[in-house]
Amino acid sequence: MKGEDSFEAVQYVPVLKTDFIMKSTLSKELCNTLIELAEQKLETDIVDNLESVRRTGWDLQKDKDVAPYLQSVTSKVEHCISTRLNYPHFNKSRPDSMRRNGMQFVIAMYNAWIGFYKNNSFVHPHCHEQPPNFYSIAAYLSTGDSDTSLNFMTDESPSYGINRPRVVCKQGDLVIFPSSLYHYTNDTSDERIVLSGNYYAGYMPNINMGET
């Protein structure tokens, strides 16, 4: 019909992704506190992609005992993501042009859980969320006497010439990555304890702008 909008001619053109795997650290004290709390909140009837893993429920961010400590994790995540959004000017203050134009940076933890691994544990390749502006975390609360790792799968050809980056992790390491990025692990131990979670983070219109 004349004048009617058509939605049939949409074309998607693949471009090189500019996402990053980010890394920060948590204090040993915070890691130990989260472990102690999680041990009291283990559940046995959860079906997921983790083999031979004891774990909590999905929504620790809503737990009145755990949530206050997750705020410290969120602060680290916010710093890393807001810095990443300032790419390629990592060493400069984040420009305030977004704020001047009525946008505000927001971050919200979508869910969070803690897993207790064993020597024979395995995490199958998977991703968490597909929509844009979602980020996932893996915080290594304990790795025992040795390091562990998190493997990623990407269809890009990075400058290093690999398509399966491997991030080595020790206690206190916090790994942040786009939720759409597939990942897995197969080097676990009885002392490997990981906090996992998902965030929405990005800019949105400031509906209060202009109010006095």
Side-chain angles (χ1 to χ4, degrees), residues 166-193:
R166 178 176 180 267
V167 179
V168 177
C169 304
K170 61 182 183 304
Q171 183 184 32
D173 282 349
L174 170 63
V175 182
I176 308 162
F177 53 94
S179 295
S180 59
L181 193 58
Y182 275 80
H183 54 285
Y184 68 96
T185 188
N186 55 10
D187 60 339
T188 63
S189 68
D190 289 339
E191 296 179 90
R192 186 181 194 268
I193 305 172

Side-chain angles (χ1 to χ4, degrees), residues 12 68 81 140:
Y12 293 93
I81 294 176
Y140 292 81

Side-chain angles (χ1 to χ4, degrees), residues 1-6:
M1 183 181 296
K2 185 176 181 180
E4 183 178 351
D5 290 334
S6 172

Side-chain angles (χ1 to χ4, degrees), residues 191-208:
E191 296 179 90
R192 186 181 194 268
I193 305 172
V194 181
L195 163 68
S196 301
N198 298 303
Y199 285 88
Y200 172 87
Y203 286 98
M204 65 177 292
N206 185 352
I207 60 176
N208 298 317

Side-chain angles (χ1 to χ4, degrees), residues 67-167:
Y69 296 98
L70 292 180
Q71 288 297 322
S72 297
V73 180
T74 297
S75 295
K76 290 274 189 174
V77 174
E78 179 176 4
H79 172 75
C80 290
I81 294 176
S82 61
T83 301
R84 174 258 178 273
L85 292 177
N86 194 31
Y87 174 83
H89 307 292
F90 292 129
N91 296 324
K92 298 181 180 179
S93 298
R94 180 157 49 92
D96 61 356
S97 60
M98 297 290 285
R99 185 168 61 252
R100 290 198 307 269
N101 286 285
M103 305 295 287
Q104 62 180 342
F105 182 79
V106 296
I107 184 169
M109 179 175 269
Y110 179 70
N111 54 11
W113 63 97
I114 293 176
F116 293 74
Y117 293 74
K118 298 180 180 179
N119 287 329
N120 62 337
S121 297
F122 180 74
V123 181
H124 294 272
H126 67 286
C127 68
H128 290 191
E129 301 287 346
Q130 292 291 348
N133 297 327
F134 273 87
Y135 295 85
S136 298
I137 66 167
Y140 292 81
L141 308 182
S142 173
T143 58
D145 297 328
S146 60
D147 295 339
T148 185
S149 67
L150 185 60
N151 300 285
F152 294 90
M153 304 168 65
T154 173
D155 56 1
E156 291 188 34
S157 298
S159 57
Y160 292 104
I162 58 174
N163 60 2
R164 293 198 178 186
R166 178 176 180 267
V167 179

